[in-house]
Amino acid sequence: MSDTQHHVEEPGPSEVRSPLVAQELQRAGVWFALAIVIGLIALLAQPILLVLGALVLATMMDGGARLLKRVLPIARGWRLTIVLLSAVAFMVWTFYLTGSSLMEQAQAMRTIVETQVARVGGWMQQMGVSTTPEDLKSLASQAMSSMGRVTAAVGTAVGAVTSGVMMLVLAIFIAVDPKLYERGVAWMLPMEKRSHFYAIADKMGWTLRRLMAGRLIGMAVEGVGTWLLLWAGGVPMAGLLGILTGLFAFLPNIGSIISGVLIILVGFSGGTDTGLYAFGVYLAVQIVDGYLIVPMVAKKATDLAPALVLAAQILFGALFGIMGLFLADPIVAMIKVYLEERSKRLEEKRAARVAERLGV
């Protein structure tokens, strides 16, 4: 080898200017950022759920204001105030008229449910099933404790009230001017991504408004229908059962099962005929809600598979407690809208590339 031959240096593994190193660092940065995001989501799960709950409440307020605009063309702030005052007045009126009687019925219902569970356990033992009444009581207790399990942020009554107030205040701020916050989020995105973001946000808002409208109508139909039919048939605690059925109707699948079990147990406490009548009322109300209300209002907007919703409720309920259970359906609906819109956009890009390649 000649002494005059020059050695050409090439980038080594530590050279940042190397395209290979830059590419690997970029990949590592993506995975590192993803790990941080996952850790933050796990750490801040409850505040994130509170924000999502506020978004759902804001969507309901916005839907009420939009609906009121059709009959009362006044400023949005006044329409939103009317919606909020109407909701508060209804809740105060309901609990003022039925508060004392409902507390007494709630205490009596607990005794009736425990008695009926013991009777079912005794009947199962007579049929040769080894399960004892104590096992059923333990199972019911575990189910209720798992349903009532919440994370640390809402683990106490004070925490629950504080979280509810914070969520309501945040929802009011968002509902007053939702476009302001929408533009704020879009500002953090690249210019070429903003139109797609606006399209997804509009579709998500429309979907959530339809979903929540269907849920509220279903709650009213199930609650009032159950109360009137049970009261007409002489079933004990018809008012309390109606309110519980209406509240549980917010949770598709799981809520109807819980309310159905309560209706049947309380119904059979008044006798076999009363129990069969209560069972018939439950079936009638669920058929009306499932085959008329949901298809007409909510299912056309979301078209969520029941098994998917139930799986999401089980997963979010186990991970995040009551808040996750309540928000499972809206979260799945928003994810579905995002995936559909993204798929549509990718399909449009693919069609544009094909057209450009063919010279069309």
Side-chain angles (χ1 to χ4, degrees):
M1 178 181 296
S2 175
D3 294 338
T4 60
Q5 185 176 2
H6 295 284
H7 174 68
V8 179
E9 293 288 345
E10 297 181 355
S14 61
E15 179 60 53
V16 179
R17 289 177 293 179
S18 169
L20 176 61
V21 174
Q23 184 179 8
E24 294 300 324
L25 285 176
Q26 185 178 10
R27 291 180 179 178
V30 171
W31 286 108
F32 185 69
L34 182 60
I36 293 178
V37 170
I38 294 176
L40 288 177
I41 291 176
L43 182 63
L44 304 175
Q46 194 62 38
I48 292 174
L49 287 178
L50 289 179
V51 173
L52 291 176
L55 290 175
V56 172
L57 287 179
T59 301
M60 297 170 67
M61 298 176 190
D62 180 58
R66 288 170 179 262
L67 185 62
L68 194 60
K69 185 180 180 180
R70 299 182 179 181
V71 296
L72 196 61
I74 58 178
R76 176 182 174 84
W78 289 109
R79 286 184 276 119
L80 190 62
T81 302
I82 293 174
V83 171
L84 291 174
L85 292 179
S86 299
V88 172
F90 173 76
M91 295 177 62
V92 171
W93 175 76
T94 301
F95 286 102
Y96 176 76
L97 291 181
T98 61
S100 58
S101 61
L102 288 181
M103 289 298 294
E104 296 175 358
Q105 291 183 15
Q107 295 294 333
M109 178 179 288
R110 178 176 181 179
T111 303
I112 290 176
V113 170
E114 291 180 351
T115 303
Q116 293 296 92
V117 168
R119 291 178 59 184
V120 172
W123 175 77
M124 292 177 67
Q125 281 187 322
Q126 294 178 0
M127 298 295 293
V129 180
S130 59
T131 302
T132 63
E134 287 73 17
D135 295 332
L136 292 178
K137 289 183 179 180
S138 176
L139 180 62
S141 176
Q142 293 177 7
M144 293 303 294
S145 63
S146 63
M147 288 288 292
R149 182 182 60 84
V150 292
T151 50
V154 290
T156 64
V158 176
V161 173
T162 304
S163 300
V165 172
M166 292 174 59
M167 188 166 57
L168 180 60
V169 172
L170 181 59
I172 293 174
F173 281 127
I174 296 175
V176 168
D177 191 3
K179 292 298 181 180
L180 173 64
Y181 302 96
E182 183 178 318
R183 291 192 297 267
V185 175
W187 177 78
M188 295 184 290
L189 301 175
M191 292 291 293
E192 64 273 9
K193 301 288 186 180
R194 294 183 185 181
S195 60
H196 183 51
F197 168 77
Y198 286 130
I200 292 178
D202 291 341
K203 185 64 180 296
M204 282 185 177
W206 181 83
T207 301
L208 283 181
R209 286 194 298 270
R210 292 290 296 269
L211 179 65
M212 292 299 103
R215 197 61 48 78
L216 291 176
I217 294 175
M219 292 171 64
V221 170
E222 290 193 31
V224 176
T226 300
W227 167 52
L228 293 177
L229 291 175
L230 292 179
W231 174 75
V235 178
M237 307 174 187
L240 179 60
L241 289 173
I243 291 178
L244 292 177
T245 301
L247 293 177
F248 284 129
F250 190 84
L251 302 174
N253 303 320
I254 294 179
S256 61
I257 295 175
I258 297 174
S259 60
V261 170
L262 293 176
I263 290 172
I264 293 171
L265 289 177
V266 174
F268 276 100
S269 68
T272 304
D273 295 338
T274 305
L276 293 176
Y277 175 80
F279 180 68
V281 168
Y282 168 73
L283 290 180
V285 171
Q286 292 302 318
I287 289 174
V288 170
D289 182 63
Y291 289 93
L292 293 178
I293 304 300
V294 174
M296 285 192 303
V297 181
K299 193 174 181 180
K300 291 183 179 179
T302 56
D303 194 23
L304 296 175
L308 177 63
V309 176
L310 181 59
Q313 289 176 341
I314 294 173
L315 178 62
F316 281 89
L319 291 176
F320 308 117
I322 291 295
M323 285 293 295
L325 190 64
F326 273 87
L327 296 176
D329 199 16
I331 290 175
V332 172
M334 288 189 289
I335 293 176
K336 180 175 181 290
V337 169
Y338 170 76
L339 294 178
E340 287 179 345
E341 292 298 316
R342 179 176 173 79
S343 176
K344 187 186 302 182
R345 183 176 177 85
L346 293 176
E347 182 63 25
E348 291 175 355
K349 288 184 177 179
R350 188 191 68 82
R353 287 197 299 267
V354 171
E356 182 180 357
R357 193 177 301 125
L358 296 177
V360 179

